[in-house]
Amino acid sequence: MSEVGRRFRAVLPAVGLLTLATAGVLGISTLLGFAPAPPVWRIVLTLVAAALLGVAATDQVRAALTDWRGATAAESGAHRRPRRGAPPAQRRPDLERTGEHADTGVFTGRTRRVPTTDDLWGGEGAVATAPPRVEDPPTAGPPPRPRPPRPSWVRLAVTVLSAVALAVLLWVPQVPVSGVVRAVAQFFSGYGAYALPVLPLLLAWPLPRLHREPWPWQLPLVPLVDRRLWTGEELRTLAVATLIFVRERVLTRSTGIVLAALGLLHLVRGNPDLLDGGTSRAGGIVGFLLAEPLRLVLASGGAIALLGGVLAGAAAVVAASVGRAWGTVTGYAVLAVALAVPLGAVGAGHWLGFEYYLRTENGRVVVVAGLSPDHRQAVHDTSLTVDGLSPSLVALFDKGLPVADNADGDRIAKALARPAESAAASFVGDQFELRAGECFDWIGGSSQLRYVAPCNGAHVGEVTFVGHLPFTVDPGKAAVEIASRAVCEQSYGDYLGVPFGQSFLPLEQPLLPAGLDGDGWQPRPVIACWLGSVGPWPLKGTKTVAALQQKVSWGAAGGCKIEVPDALRVTAEQPNARCVAPGPEQKLSVPGGGFAMDLEFAAIGKAAGGAKIGAGCFDGANLANGYSFEVAADGIIEIYKHVGDQHVKLGASAKPKNAGPPTTASTPLQVTCKPTVDGGVELTAFSTGSRKATAVDKNAPITALSPRLVLSNAATAGVVMTTMIFSATRV
């Protein structure tokens, strides 16, 4: 047989084992959904990598195959007879290394087989004659099974004590330093840390190994001992020795099974990031360093297949060595355990042991299974969309709200989005009880005592919703506070008639049960939502979007000043100023929204005659755009359209009859701005003295509007607009 043929025959078992195992794991992982099938070129690259690893493990696999054949032959008690015409039996170095032959040669008749370098590739070698040995048995019997020597009592004691110590530190949380040790172990090996106590037991009874030169541990110390750098030859020696050591440990020992399992655990758990702590719940930093480079080159599917092939190859070699020493039944058992335990644990890790978070994704609310709030392993759709959810609820989901599982996420998401389904009869506080729709007053100070008060009289607030938070397990103080506000925002529109975000009226801080955090936690706690009073009347169903008493910033733009004592005072501090209140800090605009405003105002100041006062519908994002209804010094109501610096009069009323101008008397005004069915904006203003002004804007109308007060000063500074009544509702 040619040299090429001998070498091909030598590497064929190892290449076949690694390649077939890799291909099998690739097919199984794809069918089970561990990772999508990689492109064809990456599949080919994966199989080529497996074949190269098989070439590297040739000697070890050949030795394992010989071990298994020897174990089978020893148990059957039969031996092959030499074929007629076959050359004398050849001595195999790999058999000698595994312990099949205890002598220095193999005898057949009067010939002794002398090993040569060709034996590494299956060569025939040389044959030398020798006289027959006297001690040779006259008949061939079953070859004795080479039992490894029993380990010393010291080795057994050390391994057992190490296993017990690790078990106590990692499996018993009551030990004081258990948490620290477990955190360190999980940082390096992830969930593999829980199996660490078992690993020392594998060292109690060492397996036979191939003969090799010991690792040159002196070379790394050259710079310290000899005070010089390494030579090129020393670096090559160190690299080759290290590669040989790694090859044996990874491809043929239990170490390879452990490392491959950590890399697989990292891959099947969705490749968690090292920075967010997700690797501690996967394969740790070891799994990350092993799997990530393979994933980048071979994709997840290819990396899973290659590591699975390495695990299967190492398990087969270990099982063969065990079978040679303790029988094929034991070898099969070891093979089954070495494959089933790590692959079963890794497979379960693809579905189990994740945390669940309510998140938003592509405009939908989903439950994400992951190892951290930013990690995505699996996604479950709750059938809810982001449209219609309040800003706080969207922010809560964007941040990631922990839930128990997919079903719990469905329940919590729907309960937060539809709080009316979780309404409660009453909120019980410290010596008070409130129900939805009731108004209340309070004694302030340290007592915080609230009591029910009539809504048509003086009161502090009005309860808009009383209901349960959907949490059965404490999600933390921050999550409770945000969820409480989200529930209040979601129920805002059901009570007021205007969705939250389309009204200036702010929500007050929700009322929570006392001691809700810590030991005072109760499942599905009851909260109460409320609005601050804006007058001696109830707000339920009024669709109020603005009021003079609202607790909102009225701040105006530069050149204007806002004061809110008993009435609202808007002062134009500069000439030719146009003051709009609320000012640019309040950016609310309702696309397609219509409003009806009721106000009463008066103007004072030396130059009040040059001022125009009234109300308007403006785009909150840019107060330079919108419509205004302004009462001039002669009492005429004028309707303007404003687009940047352009101010166009759209209409005006007649002069008032028997009504004084705003410079001498207070002026009531009712205005309406609302969209029309044909895409325009209808503008209407009424006042005393039979004044009425109307206009319809169809020329690039402004449709994102919000209610405002307006003071246009056309003369000197110092004009003051005093507003006694102001309220706006949706139409």
Side-chain angles (χ1 to χ4, degrees), residues 3-84:
E3 180 68 16
V4 175
R6 285 197 301 269
R7 295 198 175 192
F8 178 78
R9 184 178 178 181
V11 303
L12 189 58
V15 171
L17 174 63
L18 269 294
T19 305
L20 291 177
T22 299
V25 173
L26 177 60
I28 294 173
S29 66
T30 303
L31 291 176
L32 294 179
F34 290 166
V40 175
W41 70 271
R42 282 188 165 173
I43 295 177
V44 173
L45 186 60
T46 300
L47 297 178
V48 169
L52 293 177
L53 291 178
V55 172
T58 295
D59 290 344
Q60 289 86 349
V61 174
R62 287 178 64 196
L65 183 60
T66 303
D67 281 343
W68 195 258
R69 288 173 178 170
T72 304
E75 292 181 357
S76 64
H79 303 278
R80 295 181 182 177
R81 296 181 178 179
R83 292 176 297 176
R84 182 173 300 176

Side-chain angles (χ1 to χ4, degrees), residues 317-340:
V317 174
V318 170
S321 299
V322 173
R324 182 69 175 118
W326 289 287
T328 56
V329 174
T330 306
Y332 282 124
V334 169
L335 179 62
V337 171
L339 289 176

Side-chain angles (χ1 to χ4, degrees), residues 254-637:
S254 56
T255 309
I257 299 176
V258 173
L259 294 178
L262 293 180
L264 287 171
L265 195 59
H266 175 84
L267 292 168
V268 301
R269 290 176 74 77
N271 315 307
D273 192 1
L274 186 64
L275 299 179
D276 62 5
T279 53
S280 295
R281 302 185 60 193
I285 190 173
V286 175
F288 176 87
L289 295 176
L290 285 173
E292 278 300 306
L294 294 178
R295 184 182 68 85
L296 295 176
V297 177
L298 305 176
S300 293
I304 290 174
L306 187 60
L307 289 175
V310 170
L311 187 150
V317 174
V318 170
S321 299
V322 173
R324 182 69 175 118
W326 289 287
T328 56
V329 174
T330 306
Y332 282 124
V334 169
L335 179 62
V337 171
L339 289 176
V341 171
L343 291 181
V346 166
H350 180 70
W351 294 286
L352 305 177
F354 293 98
E355 293 178 348
Y356 295 84
Y357 302 89
L358 273 172
R359 301 296 301 268
T360 57
E361 189 172 272
N362 299 324
R364 304 189 67 82
V365 180
V366 297
V367 181
V368 176
L371 302 178
S372 67
D374 299 324
H375 179 246
R376 276 172 163 76
Q377 172 72 5
V379 178
H380 168 73
D381 194 343
T382 65
S383 72
L384 291 176
T385 61
V386 174
D387 295 339
L389 299 183
S390 70
S392 292
L393 190 53
V394 174
L396 180 65
F397 291 158
D398 284 342
K399 183 179 179 181
L401 178 64
V403 294
D405 49 32
N406 289 337
D408 190 48
D410 274 330
R411 180 185 63 82
I412 291 177
K414 292 173 181 177
L416 292 176
R418 296 188 286 267
E421 299 177 3
S422 302
S426 64
F427 175 85
V428 179
D430 186 10
Q431 301 181 1
F432 70 91
E433 184 175 356
L434 297 174
R435 293 176 174 81
E438 289 183 338
C439 296
F440 63 89
D441 210 333
W442 69 307
I443 301 175
S446 59
S447 67
Q448 300 291 306
L449 177 62
R450 292 170 172 82
Y451 58 91
V452 177
C455 291
N456 58 359
H459 59 277
V460 170
E462 184 173 346
V463 180
T464 61
F465 176 76
V466 176
H468 296 275
L469 291 181
F471 306 121
T472 56
V473 179
D474 187 0
K477 182 178 179 181
V480 167
E481 291 178 351
I482 299 176
S484 300
R485 183 161 186 86
V487 166
C488 293
E489 291 177 357
Q490 286 295 113
S491 60
Y492 184 97
D494 294 336
Y495 188 86
L496 189 63
V498 179
F500 183 81
Q502 297 186 15
S503 172
F504 287 151
L505 302 188
L507 271 169
E508 304 296 336
Q509 189 70 24
L511 302 178
L512 304 179
L516 187 60
D517 55 341
D519 297 334
W521 168 260
Q522 297 178 356
R524 302 185 72 242
V526 178
I527 66 167
C529 311
W530 61 289
L531 290 170
S533 171
V534 295
W537 57 79
L539 291 170
K540 184 175 182 179
T542 60
K543 298 184 178 181
T544 302
V545 295
L548 191 63
Q549 294 83 4
Q550 66 195 20
K551 298 178 181 179
V552 67
S553 174
W554 286 90
C560 303
K561 182 175 69 174
I562 303 293
E563 299 172 282
V564 189
D566 297 332
L568 178 68
R569 294 166 57 91
V570 182
T571 304
E573 297 182 314
Q574 298 177 359
N576 301 317
R578 185 159 60 108
C579 302
V580 178
E585 295 180 8
Q586 180 55 261
K587 299 184 179 301
L588 169 66
S589 286
V590 181
F595 305 97
M597 285 173 273
D598 189 3
L599 63 154
E600 184 174 347
F601 53 86
I604 59 175
K606 297 180 179 180
K612 295 180 179 180
I613 305 172
C617 296
F618 287 88
D619 184 353
N622 185 358
L623 293 179
N625 301 329
Y627 304 97
S628 65
F629 307 86
E630 303 174 8
V631 180
D634 55 5
I636 296 177
I637 304 172

